[in-house]
Amino acid sequence: MDKRSPDVAGKRRQRQHEKKASQKIVGWVLGILFAVLVIVGLMGYRYVNSALQPVNPNGKTSINVTVPAGSSTKQIASRLEAKHVIKSAMVFNYYVKFHNIADFQAGRYQLTQRDNMDQVIQKLRAGGTSAAAAGQLLVKEGATVEQIATSVNKLAKSNQNLTSKKFLALMKDQTFFNQLAKKYPKLLSAAASAKGVRYRLEGYLFPATYSVSAGETTKDLVEAMVAKTDSVMQSYYKSVKKQGYSVQEVMTLASLVEREGVTQEDRRTIAGVFLNRIDAGMPLQSDISVMYALNTHKTHLTNKDTSVDSPYNLYVHTGYGPGPFDSPSEQSIAAVLSPNARSKDYLYFVANLKTGEVLYATTREQHDANTAKFASDNAAADK
C-alpha cells in the first residue's frame, strides 16, 4: 500500500475546501458589487427622475428667459438652470441628446418653476416672443477686458443694463466669478487660484459676435462669453492635461501669441520660442506684457517702460505671469498646444512691422543681426 495516499487524500480535501472558500468569497464580492450597482442605479434613476420634475410644482411667478440666436444646447441649459427653471443643466443636455431634439427657437420666453422638463422643451421648440434686439457685440481677437467694456457701452442706449461701468464692476465681482468657476471647473479652476491678476476673466471672454437683446443683463452676456470659451476648449482640455499645463498657462501664452503673430505658422513658431524661453528660465520679454502692465498701447517702449514694477511685466519676471493679457482666438490656443521651434532651440524673434515678416534666432548675436536688418522699416512704422 502506498504510504503517501493519506497525504494525497488530505491535500485533495484541503484543495476542495479552499476551492469552496474561494467560491464563497467570489460570491460575496459579486453580491456586494451587484448590490452597489443596484444602489447606484436607483440613486441615478431617482436623481434623473427628480431633475425631470418641476423645480416648484406650486410656482406661479413668470420667469423671463432669453435665448439668443445661435445658442448651443449647453448654453440654453445653463441659462435655464441659472434662472432656476430646471434643476439640472446636465440632465437637460443628456435628455435632449437622447431624444434627438435640436430645433430650439431663439426668442424671449416666460416660463415658470411648475413646468416640468418636457413642458420647458415644448415651449422652447414652439418659439417665444421675438426678443427686442439691442444690437450686436463684437469681441475682437486680442481684445482686453477694458476694450470689451468700451464696446459694451455702445449698447447702453438700447439696453441700460449694458454699460462699461457695470461690466467692469462685474469683472471685479468675486462672488460672480466663483459661481462661474463652479459651473465651468475645467475652464476656470486655475484662474481661481491665480495670484495678482487684474481681472480673473481676462482671456476667458471668447472673441466672437454676440447678439444682445433689450432685456439682457450684464451677467447674461458675460456668461454667454464664458460658455463660448468653454465650448471651444472642450476640444483641447485633454491635450492641456496631457502636456502638463494648466488652462491659465495655455490661455496666457495664447494671449501673447495672439498679438505677436499674424500667420498661423508664425503663431506656432512664436509659441515654441516662448516655451523654449520658459524652459531655459529666461523672461519672455514680450512687449505685449509691458503694455498691459502700463495699461496703455505704445509702438516703442523705453527702458523705463520695460522696468515697470508689475507682476505682468515679463521683461522683469520669468514664467507666465499672473494670467492672460487679452482674449485669444482658437488659432492661438491651438498654436500653444502644437508649437513649432521646440526642436530648433529658437530663443528670439523679431517682426518687421512694415511687412509682417518674422525672423528667428538661437543666439543673442543672431537676434541683434536680425533686429538691425529690420531697423529702418520698424523705425518708420514707429512714426
Side-chain angles (χ1 to χ4, degrees):
M1 185 175 179
D2 189 345
K3 294 180 179 180
R4 292 174 296 175
S5 295
D7 291 338
V8 172
K11 290 181 178 179
R12 186 180 295 115
R13 285 194 298 271
Q14 184 179 354
R15 285 197 296 270
Q16 290 174 343
H17 178 73
E18 291 173 348
K19 183 177 181 181
K20 289 180 180 179
S22 297
Q23 289 174 340
K24 286 183 179 180
I25 293 171
V26 171
W28 291 338
V29 171
L30 290 176
I32 292 171
L33 287 175
F34 178 74
V36 170
L37 289 174
V38 170
I39 292 171
V40 171
L42 288 172
M43 291 176 64
Y45 172 78
R46 291 181 63 183
Y47 174 78
V48 172
N49 187 58
S50 174
L52 296 175
Q53 304 308 313
V55 173
N56 179 5
N58 299 317
K60 296 180 181 180
T61 303
S62 293
I63 300 173
N64 293 321
V65 178
T66 300
V67 177
S71 296
S72 67
T73 299
K74 186 174 182 180
Q75 290 170 332
I76 294 172
S78 294
R79 286 189 174 226
L80 293 173
E81 184 181 34
K83 293 283 189 176
H84 304 293
V85 173
I86 60 173
K87 295 179 180 180
S88 171
M90 179 182 69
V91 172
F92 182 93
N93 280 319
Y94 282 116
Y95 188 83
V96 166
K97 288 180 181 178
F98 182 79
H99 290 87
N100 197 29
I101 301 169
D103 53 348
F104 294 124
Q105 303 296 313
R108 180 178 296 168
Y109 297 84
Q110 287 190 333
L111 306 173
T112 69
Q113 292 184 330
R114 68 174 180 267
D115 296 328
N116 63 29
M117 192 168 290
D118 278 329
Q119 291 170 324
V120 171
I121 288 172
Q122 288 173 9
K123 291 180 179 180
L124 292 175
R125 296 179 73 183
T129 59
S130 178
Q136 291 187 323
L137 173 69
L138 172 62
V139 178
K140 295 182 179 180
E141 292 89 348
T144 65
V145 158
E146 295 187 3
Q147 288 170 334
I148 296 171
T150 300
S151 297
V152 167
N153 203 57
K154 295 176 183 178
L155 300 171
K157 289 183 179 179
S158 51
N159 185 337
Q160 295 180 356
N161 294 321
L162 305 178
T163 66
S164 58
K165 184 177 180 179
K166 290 181 178 179
F167 182 85
L168 290 175
L170 193 61
M171 292 297 101
K172 292 288 190 179
D173 188 331
Q174 188 63 42
T175 300
F176 175 65
F177 175 84
N178 291 342
Q179 292 170 349
L180 291 177
K182 185 177 180 180
K183 189 173 292 188
Y184 304 100
K186 286 186 178 180
L187 181 69
L188 296 175
S189 60
S193 60
K195 306 296 183 182
V197 293
R198 184 179 296 169
Y199 300 109
R200 289 203 181 276
L201 288 176
E202 186 79 83
Y204 296 94
L205 308 177
F206 198 78
T209 299
Y210 298 89
S211 296
V212 183
S213 69
E216 190 142 5
T217 67
T218 309
K219 287 185 177 181
D220 290 336
L221 177 59
V222 171
E223 183 163 354
M225 296 179 190
V226 174
K228 176 67 174 177
T229 307
D230 182 65
S231 176
V232 170
M233 288 300 294
Q234 292 296 326
S235 301
Y236 300 101
Y237 285 136
K238 186 175 180 180
S239 179
V240 172
K241 184 176 181 180
K242 184 178 181 180
Q243 296 190 52
Y245 300 126
S246 70
V247 173
Q248 183 85 337
E249 290 170 342
V250 171
M251 300 303 275
T252 298
L253 284 190
S255 70
L256 293 176
V257 169
E258 181 68 42
R259 299 278 298 280
E260 296 279 11
V262 177
T263 69
Q264 188 61 9
E265 190 67 15
D266 278 331
R267 285 173 175 165
R268 292 182 62 202
T269 307
I270 290 170
V273 172
F274 284 148
L275 289 166
N276 285 344
R277 292 181 74 91
I278 287 174
D279 287 348
M282 301 171 65
L284 296 185
Q285 293 188 324
S286 168
D287 289 358
I288 305 304
S289 72
V290 176
M291 286 187 280
Y292 191 87
L294 294 170
N295 203 21
T296 189
H297 177 76
K298 288 187 171 186
T299 55
H300 179 71
L301 296 175
T302 65
N303 289 335
K304 182 180 179 181
D305 292 334
T306 57
S307 300
V308 63
D309 182 16
S310 168
Y312 282 101
N313 182 1
L314 300 187
Y315 263 79
V316 175
H317 301 287
T318 57
Y320 296 86
F325 300 86
D326 55 63
S327 293
S329 64
E330 183 175 359
Q331 290 78 10
S332 292
I333 294 168
V336 171
L337 293 170
S338 182
N340 287 333
R342 296 286 275 164
S343 61
K344 296 180 181 179
D345 296 326
Y346 288 147
L347 292 172
Y348 304 91
F349 69 90
V350 61
N352 186 314
L353 301 179
K354 184 177 181 180
T355 67
E357 181 184 0
V358 182
L359 295 178
Y360 304 91
T362 57
T363 67
R364 182 71 196 190
E365 290 73 21
Q366 292 173 340
H367 176 62
D368 289 342
N370 290 338
T371 301
K373 182 178 179 180
F374 289 161
S376 58
D377 282 347
N378 288 349
D382 282 343
K383 293 180 180 179

